[in-house]
Amino acid sequence: MNKWIDEYIEQHKKIISGLNKDIIIKLIEAIKKTRDEGRQIFIIGNGGDAAIASHLGVDLGKGGSLGKKKRFRVFVPSDNVPWLTAIANDLSYEDVFVEQIENFARPDDFLLALSVSGSSPNIVKAIKRAKEIGMGTAAIVGDRQGKVIDMVDMAVV
């Protein structure tokens, strides 16, 4: 068990040390700018990334906003399970994010996509539509081969 934990910690140190700090700073600045301009932040992800999207939505919406003059306006489409499943059932799972973006997004809003593969069809479709609308876009992905890396304004890999 000790060996496994040591290897796990070392693997995470290697990943963290390889992160591009400039891109992370750019992402934070874009999120702050979206807040400061009263724009909305959309956070999308599937599976475990949907859970992370929810957690980040709470961290920004409550933790980053309580007692502050400027508050984060955050929308996590996967949090509305009835709507998500209705879209998936009546249209396709590929449309679960893009259809909700269609209802709420405006130019200069911001879309943050979380995806291990960076190639999930519903994530790709949402980013494509967000760009068409004029939203800022970013992705946090785990695969350097992910399709969305070249689609977004900034990608943390």
Side-chain angles (χ1 to χ4, degrees):
M1 184 64 78
N2 280 337
K3 181 181 177 194
W4 179 82
I5 291 171
D6 288 342
E7 288 172 357
Y8 184 83
I9 290 169
E10 286 306 311
Q11 182 181 13
H12 280 75
K13 285 180 182 177
K14 183 178 177 184
I15 291 168
I16 290 169
S17 68
L19 291 173
N20 183 326
K21 290 189 302 187
D22 294 333
I23 296 293
I24 294 170
I25 290 167
K26 186 177 174 184
L27 175 59
I28 292 168
E29 288 172 346
I31 290 170
K32 286 172 60 177
K33 180 180 181 202
T34 303
R35 178 205 57 199
D36 292 348
E37 293 178 353
R39 304 288 184 184
Q40 186 155 274
I41 301 165
F42 294 75
I43 309 172
I44 59 174
N46 294 297
D49 289 324
I52 294 168
S54 291
H55 191 137
L56 181 55
V58 170
D59 284 349
L60 291 173
K62 182 191 85 57
S65 294
L66 285 179
K68 308 263 174 55
K69 285 185 178 184
K70 300 216 177 204
R71 292 180 169 244
F72 288 100
R73 296 179 57 235
V74 182
F75 180 67
V76 182
S78 56
D79 283 349
N80 191 329
V81 174
W83 196 356
L84 183 108
T85 58
I87 293 169
N89 184 61
D90 296 344
L91 299 172
S92 74
Y93 192 72
E94 192 172 312
D95 294 317
V96 296
F97 299 132
V98 74
E99 284 300 317
Q100 294 182 69
I101 287 169
E102 286 290 344
N103 278 47
F104 295 109
R106 294 186 176 136
D108 296 322
D109 283 346
F110 192 81
L111 176 70
L112 175 59
L114 310 175
S115 177
V116 172
S117 72
S119 296
S120 300
N122 58 0
I123 301 283
V124 170
K125 191 170 186 176
I127 291 170
K128 182 179 178 191
R129 183 63 184 129
K131 298 291 282 182
E132 292 168 354
I133 291 170
M135 297 173 69
T137 59
I140 299 174
V141 300
D143 186 344
R144 296 191 183 284
Q145 307 304 311
K147 291 179 183 179
V148 303
I149 293 170
D150 294 328
M151 296 175 65
V152 296
D153 301 326
M154 63 201 87
V156 177
V157 182

